[in-house]
Structures are given as C-alpha cells and as structure tokens.
Amino acid sequence: MSAPGDGTDCRIEPLAGDADLDGVLEVEAESFNNPWTREMYAWELQNRAVCHIYVARTPGCAVAAFCAFWLVFDEIHINNVALRPACRGHGLGTALMRHVLAAGKAQGATRATLEVRVSNTGARRLYEQLGFTVAGTRRRYYTHPDEDALILWHEHV
C-alpha cells in the first residue's frame, strides 16, 4: 500500500475550481505561518495566462499538495509550493515539482526560480536534487518569523 502522498500514487492537475482552491487554502494553513488568503489567490488567478496552479491528488486527498507559479516569457517563477504535513517525505513534492517544471518547459520556459527559507532544509534538499542552485540571498524576506530567503535558480529546465 502506498504511503499518503506517495509520489507514485498521485495525479497532478491544474487547479479546477473553488473546491480545489479550498484545498489549496487548507494546505497553506497547515504549512505556513503567514499563509496566502483567498483574496490573494483570486487576484493571482485573474491572469490565467501568467498564473498557473497545479494540485496533487492522492487516493485519500483531493488536494494533498500544490504549486503556484508564474510563467513569464521563458521563466517559471515559483511563488508557493506546499504539501500537507502527512504527505511529506514520500516523493509527492518531487513528483509535483517535476510536473511543474515539465509543464513550464512545454510552454517555452528555459529556466526557473524560487525563494526558500534558509532554515527549510527539507525543501532546500528537494530543490537541489531537482537541479536548483543558490544564486543569492534576500535579507529578511520572510516574516513570522523574520528570516532570510535563498534565491534559487534552475538554469536548464
């Protein structure tokens, strides 16, 4: 039997509507000290040509994880990635990120960027395994608690 959020037992699809957005907001609340609001996502989704959100579904969870990103010219800017705590450590994040990078590449992206908390070693390890490298630091980028962000780039999506 697959573990919850096992990357081999999931479907990754574009955000499909309000029920999916409710799931994204639940994952946000479980994952972040300063989660995005429904209004923030509504504003983002006004420009579907640039804003993309993919959700990962497992047999037991309609939205086990998500990734929100912008596709601008040839760059993917990953804004948010989160997994339900019970789904972490089973390959779901890797499957989701590989899907997002492939989807961006299919739409003309040649590179990708994101910011990550300096202290988020699990996410940093995932991104490094996917080919992201540290390009710089944004001082006090995060709040609650205040923390620097590492700027990561993947130059060959």
Side-chain angles (χ1 to χ4, degrees):
M1 180 174 168
S2 298
D6 185 332
T8 62
D9 193 18
C10 71
R11 286 188 342 264
I12 300 169
E13 303 172 336
L15 182 96
D18 284 341
D20 279 354
L21 185 53
D22 290 343
V24 165
L25 293 169
E26 289 173 9
V27 176
E28 278 267 348
E30 292 176 8
S31 300
F32 300 121
N33 295 328
N34 194 16
W36 282 27
T37 65
R38 179 175 291 279
E39 292 75 24
M40 293 166 87
Y41 278 106
W43 186 86
E44 289 283 313
L45 290 167
Q46 289 177 19
N47 190 354
R48 294 304 290 257
V50 172
C51 177
H52 304 270
I53 302 174
Y54 282 87
V55 297
R57 305 179 194 287
T58 63
C61 190
V63 179
F66 76 94
C67 179
F69 67 96
W70 294 341
L71 181 61
V72 181
F73 299 109
D74 64 342
E75 290 182 5
I76 299 167
H77 184 97
I78 298 169
N79 295 314
N80 286 334
V81 179
L83 288 74
R84 292 186 188 269
C87 296
R88 295 176 189 159
H90 303 288
L92 184 60
T94 300
L96 176 60
M97 289 299 299
R98 284 189 175 144
H99 186 94
V100 163
L101 294 172
K105 183 176 182 174
Q107 295 178 56
T110 59
R111 58 194 213 145
T113 188
L114 57 84
E115 292 88 12
V116 63
R117 282 185 183 270
V118 170
S119 65
N120 192 342
T121 56
R124 289 174 56 189
R125 187 171 34 255
L126 166 67
Y127 301 140
E128 289 167 7
Q129 289 172 351
L130 291 168
F132 284 85
T133 58
V134 176
T137 302
R138 295 193 197 280
R139 299 278 175 224
R140 297 178 49 128
Y141 183 77
Y142 292 104
T143 59
H144 307 290
D146 289 348
E147 188 172 354
D148 295 345
L150 295 176
I151 305 164
L152 303 182
W153 279 94
H154 189 307
E155 293 293 341
H156 305 287
V157 172

